[in-house]
Amino acid sequence: MKKVIHTPIQDEEIKDLRAGDIIYLTGTLVTCRDDGHRRVIEEGVMPELPLDRIAILHAGPIVQEVEGGWKMISVGPTTSMRMERYEKEFLEKTGVKLVIGKGGMGNKTAQGCKESVAIHAIFPGGCAVIAAEQVEEIEGLEWPEFGMPEAFWILRVKEFGPLIVSIDTEGNNFIEEKKNTFRERQKEESAKVEKFVASFMQSH
C-alpha cells in the first residue's frame, strides 16, 4: 500500500518508517538549499513561513512567471551532502520533519534526525520535470534576492515522490549501510581474485 505522508507531519507518522522505505508527500514543501540554510544558521534569520512540521527540498527549481503567479517548469533535487554541516542545527531550529534531496547525508544529519524526530529522503535523480508535475501550486516566495535557484519557493504538492527514506528517526543511514556492505563484498571478491591468481601462477 502506498505510504503518503501529510503536512503538518506528526512524529507518529514517521517514527515507524525505516531506512529504505518508499513514501510520498502531500502538503507543503519548501525549496531550501545552501543560501537558505546559511541564512537560518549563520545569520539567525528565519523565513516568515513557519517551517515547523513541514518538508524542505534541496533543489534549484526553474520557475516561469505567469499571470497571477508562477508556474513550476523543473524542480530537480540537488546534492544533499552540501547541506551536511547545517542540517542538524537546521532541524533543531526550524522543526522541519522531512528533508528531501539527491543522494544521502552523513553522520551529523543522522544524529540530527534522531534527536529531532525527522527523516531524510531521496528523490530519484533525473526526474526534475516529473517532480514539477507533482507541484499543484506555487503558493509563495521568500528571499527572492537569492535568485531563482536559491530562493524559498513555497509549494503545494500531491503525492510527491517516490521518496526513498535514507535516514530514519533512529538515525539509521541507508546509503552508509549500503556503502559498508559494498566494501565488505569488495574485500571478499578481491580476496577470491588474489587467491585465484596466486593458484594460477603456481600451476604455471
Side-chain angles (χ1 to χ4, degrees), residues 38 43 107 163 165:
R38 191 178 300 114
E43 301 176 20
N107 293 331
L163 308 172
V165 177

Side-chain angles (χ1 to χ4, degrees), residues 84 105-115 118 167-173:
E84 173 68 13
M105 298 193 77
N107 293 331
K108 188 176 179 182
T109 298
Q111 186 63 30
C113 286
K114 187 174 182 179
E115 293 177 4
I167 301 175
D168 60 29
T169 58
E170 295 296 318
N172 299 307
N173 193 324

Side-chain angles (χ1 to χ4, degrees), residues 41-52:
I41 302 306
E42 294 184 359
E43 301 176 20
V45 178
M46 298 290 283
E48 292 183 15
L49 175 74
L51 299 179
D52 186 45

Side-chain angles (χ1 to χ4, degrees), residues 75-88:
V75 59
T78 195
T79 304
S80 283
M81 190 60 79
R82 294 214 314 268
M83 273 55 76
E84 173 68 13
R85 59 177 171 158
Y86 297 120
E87 209 68 77
K88 180 176 183 292

